[in-house]
Amino acid sequence: MNIENTQSQMRKGVLEFCILSIIKRAEAYPSDIIEEMKKANLHILEGTLYPLLTRLKNADLLTYRWVESQSGPPRKYFSLTDKGAEFYKELEATWNELANAVQQITQNGQLLTEPFTNFNQ
Amino acid sequence: MKKVININFQGRVIPIEESAYEELKKYTDSLHRYFAREEGKEEIINDIENRIAELFIERLKNNPAGCITDADINSIVSSIGRPEDFDADLNDSNESYSSKDAGSKAGSSAYSEPRGSLFRNENDKVLGGVCSGLAHYLKIDPTVVRILFALITFGGFGSGVLLYIILWIVLPAKQMQFNVRRRLYRNPDDKVIGGVCSGISSYFNIGVWIPRVIFTLPFFIGIIGNIFGNRWGHWDGFPDVVFGSFGGTLIVTYLILWMVVPFANTATEKLEMRGEKIDLESIKNTVQGEMQGVKGRAEKAGSDFKERAQEWGEEVRERSQAFASQAGPVARRAGSSIGHAVGVLFKAFFLFIAGMIAFGLLIGLMALIFSGVGVFPLKAFVLEGFWQNAMAWGTLILFLGVPIIATVIWLIRRISGVKSKNNYLGYAFGSLWIIGWVCVITLGGLISRDFKRTGYVDEKISIMQPTGARMLVDVGDLPGKYYGMVWFDDDHDNDFPGLSKDEDSMLLNTVRIKVVRSKDDLYHVYQRKLARGNSPAIAEQTASEVSFPVRQVDSLLILPKGFTISKESKFRNQQVLVVIEVPVGKAIRLDHSLNRFDWFSINTGRRRFDDEFDDWDNSYSWMSDTWYVMTENGLDRMYKDDNNDNEDDRNSEWKLEKNKEGGQYRYHKDGDTIDIKIKDKDTTVNIKLKTSVEINDDSENEKEGEDATAMEVMPEKKEQKSYRGSMISVMDLIKVGTR
């Protein structure tokens, strides 16, 4: 099993959650999101973020408004819709469950031979 | 030293080095390719370009005199990321975000096997995305897989459908990126017929002449084969068989590609057509790599599939357990899985039904247009004047042709996944079809006007009174050959209505025989010719043009087998009514060949023509091949003492062969034959008997025969005798003989 592959999957699952939680806190511009995630040492490319945001927006989880900027073209500021907030809540519950479970299992010192393959079964 | 150009990028003027501009262009093109199949493609690319513009402006602010350099582009691109990097990062989170798909994500495999697994592609589908998913898995063009599937379906008696449905149910759906660098397009810029060859040449990066030569080779070989036909003669048609079918296959292939493969219209599509980094060398490498990987891949696909099936089975089991336990999310997911399967089955079923209906409609339309084309030579017999002809053409092309063309275009678009942005084509077809309807209705109106009124002409046919108080009615032949029209050809004897060889006249057999009681003690024959027209006078005129000559040979009344109408006199439902008046006490027999007359009436007028047969109201029904005697009460069977069945049997058992040229007739049953030869222009008849049947050489024959002394009857086999006598007595003889 490829370690990078596993790592990227682990990251991937939480990326959306993180992005939504940043947007939930306050209206956000994509560069802000990148910056904030970078601060938390979670790197994401803009080329990955934009399509992701568009898809979330097309799924009615996000909405945006144009904001004039002094430094260049107008920017899109994203915020959560009601549906998005609900979606976020469910993700949050799942995350807490998972975090607890992982915590408990790893604390008990159980050996994970096949980590996370049965994540959501 | 570098050239600097100004570009308008996202509404800003940006000074940029030319080489940097090239880089930027390449980068945005790569984005276009990468997001080609993404739903919000324009928006995503716009967002990214917007961001790039913002970064440009930032840089230019720090260095107001400067311009965007290669280094700037490189750093910006690497901060945003190249498509290759997207892949490595978050590609597989591109799964369904839309809530409707949230439930259908199947199990763990979506996460444990993020790449190279079989899925249905949600982003690019015709039915369920199975073909496109397979194509994604094999990294080939979905069009190719679709064509293959279509071939399997048509060639494998529908097994493709079953396979498709199973895959549809078992494979989970997933929104997938388009992973083929190069697609098969037709090239609109360089085409001879459909641009197929040049598209293929772009796909394989070979000279455009290569596919062209391959596709045209069979023709050249065929031509050469014809030229050197003599030399190849002893090969027994080798070039024909091999290259003929080979060439046929190639033509079909070309046509299918022409239909299924879309044109590369936009710049992106043209880029996809030419692709990147693929040449013969890389294909070779890929193929070599594939060949080694194929086994593993196939095994993997097999195990994937098995795993899916097992998972699915497990979920079904879980589902049933869940009913008992009312357990949470797992059950819900499994439930949606079953719902999914049922939904797919229903969808497949309805698509199948809809497809069948559509197919049936298409076939019906085809049949209509073919019959339309087939009936078209007849239009000269029906249509009159410019307007009727114009409307007929309008009906054929607009009313029948347009739906077929529209259906074909729709099918092609559906297969090739082309979606038109506007509906002009639809509106155009719709309005053309409406015009077609107008043509149909107008044509119907115009034609029905010509069938509104009836006119008729009566004619008395002078006959000589037959000897022997008996009359036989038969059908004779007409000069000239008439060919039955194929589409009416349910039985081969039927050549009505028939066309003459030069299609100049048409043979009709709308003839009816009426038998009535004569007012005096003579036979009389009348004929009434009927036709239709816009007014009674026109109808009468048309009716009088019908020629139906009745001949008489002593007691034999010979009717023509039909009458002809010419293109000038037109078809106006001409009919001939032959009325035979039989005096009381005399006999008549109507041959079964009269049954071949057909009678039909077309009446488009309001007024029914009721007084049609008033003059001969006292007509009687008759059966063919039966002797009747006229009595005061109507027709009476002459041999009603017979067991009816028995007589019918005999009638059917004795078969008649006619040698029309020589006036020879032969009746035969089992080993018995009776040869009849008409000599001396219808007055002398020779009969040869070769029969075991006992012939009554009794008074009845003597009585009837005019020249009874010349009649000798020998019942023994192998002996042949000649009879002389009139036709009627000969028929009697046979009648008696077979009794």
Side-chain angles (χ1 to χ4, degrees):
Chain A
M1 194 146 208
N2 190 339
I3 179 80
E4 275 169 33
N5 199 0
T6 313
Q7 282 169 339
S8 103
Q9 277 168 47
M10 286 170 75
R11 251 159 50 78
K12 203 179 55 188
V14 296
L15 266 184
E16 285 167 52
F17 179 51
C18 293
I19 290 165
L20 286 173
S21 92
I22 290 168
I23 296 172
K24 184 185 179 263
R25 240 178 291 138
E27 232 181 7
Y29 171 63
S31 296
D32 298 344
I33 299 173
I34 300 257
E35 280 307 309
E36 195 161 342
M37 288 174 80
K38 206 181 264 175
K39 260 186 234 158
N41 219 4
L42 201 57
H43 292 273
I44 178 172
L45 286 169
E46 276 170 283
T48 310
L49 180 64
Y50 282 108
L52 183 51
L53 287 174
T54 306
R55 282 181 215 119
L56 289 168
K57 187 211 67 175
N58 286 344
D60 290 335
L61 302 177
L62 293 183
T63 180
Y64 67 86
R65 65 187 179 95
W66 290 102
V67 173
E68 286 296 332
S69 126
Q70 315 93 315
S71 65
R75 298 166 157 189
K76 273 180 178 175
Y77 274 81
F78 286 91
S79 55
L80 284 189
T81 60
D82 292 347
K83 200 175 162 192
E86 225 164 85
F87 189 78
Y88 175 78
K89 242 184 230 166
E90 274 182 41
L91 281 188
E92 195 177 33
T94 315
W95 170 252
N96 288 337
E97 243 171 66
L98 268 178
N100 283 339
V102 172
Q103 183 77 4
Q104 203 182 330
I105 291 167
T106 48
Q107 288 300 312
N108 286 353
Q110 262 179 296
L111 200 64
L112 292 172
T113 44
E114 279 186 272
F116 310 117
T117 43
N118 293 326
F119 234 85
N120 53 355
Q121 260 192 354
Chain B
M1 191 174 67
K2 279 192 167 172
K3 195 174 163 191
V4 174
I5 54 173
N6 275 326
I7 58 166
N8 180 343
F9 192 72
Q10 293 287 310
R12 309 280 153 143
V13 177
I14 310 281
I16 185 170
E17 282 179 2
E18 201 171 23
S19 57
Y21 167 73
E22 292 298 326
E23 271 302 306
L24 177 65
K25 183 93 181 42
K26 248 193 236 166
Y27 179 63
T28 51
D29 281 348
S30 74
L31 288 178
H32 273 282
R33 263 200 305 283
Y34 182 75
F35 292 118
R37 289 296 168 123
E38 184 77 38
E39 206 173 310
K41 168 192 165 188
E42 297 301 329
E43 193 176 359
I44 294 168
I45 290 170
N46 204 43
D47 283 349
I48 293 175
E49 287 188 352
N50 218 346
R51 175 67 182 152
I52 294 172
E54 198 178 20
L55 291 170
F56 280 168
I57 288 161
E58 229 165 72
R59 264 156 221 265
L60 289 173
K61 240 181 218 164
N62 297 339
N63 184 5
C67 63
I68 302 298
T69 62
D70 287 357
D72 290 334
I73 293 284
N74 278 338
S75 74
I76 288 172
V77 164
S78 61
S79 99
I80 291 174
R82 291 183 182 279
E84 298 90 277
D85 305 325
F86 301 169
D87 276 8
D89 200 347
L90 201 69
N91 188 29
D92 285 309
S93 66
N94 300 346
E95 284 159 355
S96 44
Y97 283 92
S98 52
S99 49
K100 76 175 163 85
D101 290 314
S104 67
K105 268 193 234 172
S108 65
S109 47
Y111 283 89
S112 61
E113 288 165 339
R115 311 204 61 194
S117 300
L118 265 170
F119 290 100
R120 290 184 294 112
N121 191 350
E122 281 279 297
N123 284 341
D124 177 21
K125 60 181 184 179
V126 173
L127 291 176
V130 171
C131 285
S132 156
L134 273 174
H136 187 273
Y137 182 75
L138 299 170
K139 294 202 166 112
I140 52 175
D141 194 330
T143 311
V144 176
V145 182
R146 285 186 190 129
I147 294 171
L148 283 176
F149 236 101
L151 287 178
I152 291 171
T153 304
F154 287 121
F157 303 105
S159 59
V161 177
L162 201 63
L163 188 63
Y164 193 98
I165 291 175
I166 291 172
L167 287 174
W168 197 349
I169 292 171
V170 172
L171 294 184
K174 189 173 158 184
Q175 294 193 339
M176 289 192 284
Q177 295 296 327
F178 194 67
N179 70 339
V180 181
R181 287 193 181 278
R182 187 178 287 208
R183 287 195 74 191
L184 185 57
Y185 281 102
R186 288 185 293 123
N187 188 351
D189 303 328
D190 179 19
K191 61 172 185 174
V192 175
I193 302 173
V196 172
C197 286
S198 86
I200 290 174
S201 78
S202 300
Y203 192 77
F204 293 110
N205 233 8
I206 49 177
V208 70
W209 61 272
I210 295 174
R212 285 195 180 140
V213 164
I214 290 173
F215 273 106
T216 48
L217 203 59
F219 295 105
F220 289 120
I221 289 175
I223 291 165
I224 293 167
N226 280 337
I227 293 169
F228 298 102
N230 292 337
R231 204 179 296 172
W232 286 15
H234 64 277
W235 285 21
D236 208 19
F238 167 73
D240 267 352
V241 173
V242 174
F243 291 103
S245 62
F246 180 52
T249 314
L250 280 181
I251 291 168
V252 170
T253 309
Y254 190 95
L255 287 177
I256 288 177
L257 288 174
W258 194 356
M259 283 192 286
V260 170
V261 177
F263 260 137
N265 281 324
T266 67
T268 317
E269 285 168 346
K270 277 175 190 162
L271 271 166
E272 279 180 358
M273 178 178 78
R274 302 219 170 76
E276 257 191 340
K277 295 176 191 164
I278 298 182
D279 51 20
L280 277 179
E281 190 58 33
S282 75
I283 287 178
K284 206 178 101 191
N285 291 339
T286 318
V287 168
Q288 280 174 346
E290 285 288 308
M291 290 313 279
Q292 287 163 354
V294 144
K295 207 178 153 216
R297 200 176 265 267
E299 278 167 3
K300 188 163 180 294
S303 63
D304 271 1
F305 187 80
K306 209 171 111 191
E307 202 176 311
R308 287 285 145 63
Q310 275 173 353
E311 252 168 42
W312 193 67
E314 274 167 25
E315 283 187 10
V316 171
R317 213 170 46 230
E318 282 173 17
R319 171 70 175 154
S320 52
Q321 289 165 357
F323 267 121
S325 62
Q326 297 284 319
V330 176
R332 236 182 295 134
R333 196 170 56 241
S336 75
S337 180
I338 284 186
H340 169 67
V342 170
V344 162
L345 273 179
F346 265 104
K347 203 172 164 191
F349 178 71
F350 282 117
L351 277 171
F352 181 72
I353 299 290
M356 277 303 172
I357 291 169
F359 187 69
L361 281 177
L362 189 67
I363 294 295
L365 270 173
M366 292 290 225
L368 249 178
I369 202 166
F370 278 128
S371 66
V373 169
V375 171
F376 230 53
L378 293 185
K379 78 179 173 60
F381 289 102
V382 179
L383 304 180
E384 207 164 20
F386 168 77
W387 279 109
Q388 291 193 1
N389 278 297
M391 289 302 149
W393 280 107
T395 300
L396 188 71
I397 295 166
L398 298 178
F399 184 67
L400 299 178
V402 163
I404 290 183
I405 295 168
T407 316
V408 169
I409 288 179
W410 180 81
L411 274 178
I412 291 167
R413 290 198 156 174
R414 197 81 179 99
I415 290 170
S416 59
V418 178
K419 285 195 183 91
S420 73
K421 291 205 173 62
N422 48 46
N423 284 326
Y424 295 140
L425 203 63
Y427 294 139
F429 276 130
S431 40
L432 283 177
W433 203 48
I434 288 169
I435 297 173
W437 268 103
V438 172
C439 286
V440 171
I441 293 164
T442 317
L443 182 66
L446 285 174
I447 290 177
S448 73
R449 230 175 42 182
D450 283 335
F451 286 86
K452 211 163 69 186
R453 308 296 293 272
T454 303
Y456 63 89
V457 180
D458 279 341
E459 217 172 83
K460 187 178 190 327
I461 296 166
S462 52
I463 55 162
M464 307 202 330
Q465 292 305 308
T467 52
R470 294 183 170 202
M471 181 178 267
L472 243 148
V473 186
D474 200 352
V475 171
D477 226 340
L478 270 183
K481 278 201 147 186
Y482 290 87
Y483 299 91
M485 283 174 276
V486 194
W487 54 94
F488 293 131
D489 202 6
D490 42 356
D491 69 299
H492 294 280
D493 287 343
N494 193 0
D495 49 358
F496 295 100
L499 284 180
S500 65
K501 213 170 188 174
D502 53 4
E503 300 196 341
D504 230 17
S505 55
M506 184 161 68
L507 185 66
L508 288 178
N509 64 342
T510 43
V511 177
R512 184 178 275 180
I513 317 291
K514 293 247 161 218
V515 180
V516 302
R517 194 173 63 232
S518 175
K519 292 182 182 70
D520 46 27
D521 57 351
L522 296 174
Y523 287 96
H524 297 286
V525 179
Y526 303 91
Q527 73 183 23
R528 167 170 285 190
K529 296 185 272 198
L530 302 109
R532 288 182 191 271
N534 200 2
S535 73
I538 294 173
E540 222 166 273
Q541 171 63 27
T542 314
S544 69
E545 281 165 19
V546 172
S547 146
F548 191 75
V550 177
R551 285 189 298 139
Q552 191 197 7
V553 178
D554 192 34
S555 57
L556 186 63
L557 195 68
I558 301 171
L559 308 179
K561 72 172 177 179
F563 54 91
T564 61
I565 57 169
S566 68
K567 279 186 176 171
E568 285 71 39
S569 61
K570 306 285 176 194
F571 170 76
R572 291 291 177 264
N573 191 208
Q574 287 92 335
Q575 297 161 323
V576 172
L577 184 69
V578 177
V579 180
I580 302 169
E581 290 188 357
V582 181
V584 173
K586 297 198 175 169
I588 187 163
R589 181 174 188 267
L590 297 114
D591 194 79
H592 63 270
S593 51
L594 292 172
N595 290 336
R596 291 189 55 194
F597 286 135
D598 262 329
W599 182 269
F600 60 90
S601 294
I602 300 170
N603 190 357
T604 57
R606 290 270 160 77
R607 245 184 44 172
R608 278 192 61 92
F609 190 74
D610 283 331
D611 48 349
E612 219 170 325
F613 312 120
D614 273 2
D615 301 358
W616 299 287
D617 212 16
N618 53 343
S619 72
Y620 307 107
S621 63
W622 45 268
M623 271 161 43
S624 60
D625 285 347
T626 309
W627 279 107
Y628 289 103
V629 170
M630 183 60 74
T631 67
E632 289 294 336
N633 299 321
L635 286 178
D636 206 4
R637 282 178 83 131
M638 205 164 164
Y639 300 103
K640 58 182 157 198
D641 303 342
D642 288 355
N643 185 344
N644 284 347
D645 296 330
N646 200 7
E647 188 184 59
D648 288 346
D649 277 356
R650 262 203 309 274
N651 280 338
S652 61
E653 270 181 54
W654 280 93
K655 298 238 167 69
L656 176 65
E657 268 177 35
K658 286 184 190 173
N659 180 353
K660 289 166 188 172
E661 317 256 322
Q664 289 184 357
Y665 300 83
R666 164 175 286 185
Y667 287 88
H668 57 91
K669 181 176 91 171
D670 301 330
D672 307 334
T673 57
I674 302 173
D675 284 333
I676 302 169
K677 197 185 244 171
I678 300 175
K679 271 183 176 179
D680 294 351
K681 282 282 163 206
D682 311 321
T683 52
T684 313
V685 179
N686 276 354
I687 300 180
K688 282 179 187 171
L689 281 180
K690 197 179 154 196
T691 174
S692 55
V693 176
E694 214 178 302
I695 305 261
N696 291 341
D697 191 7
D698 65 352
S699 55
E700 195 181 346
N701 286 315
E702 309 255 339
K703 206 163 51 193
E704 302 291 342
E706 221 178 6
D707 201 350
T709 49
M711 289 175 110
E712 295 171 56
V713 177
M714 292 296 288
E716 305 306 326
K717 274 186 183 171
K718 291 176 190 165
E719 292 201 47
Q720 300 175 347
K721 289 288 166 190
S722 288
Y723 299 83
R724 281 173 64 81
S726 68
M727 188 61 166
I728 190 75
S729 48
V730 168
M731 298 311 293
D732 266 358
L733 178 74
I734 292 159
K735 187 84 212 166
V736 172
T738 56
R739 188 144 45 148

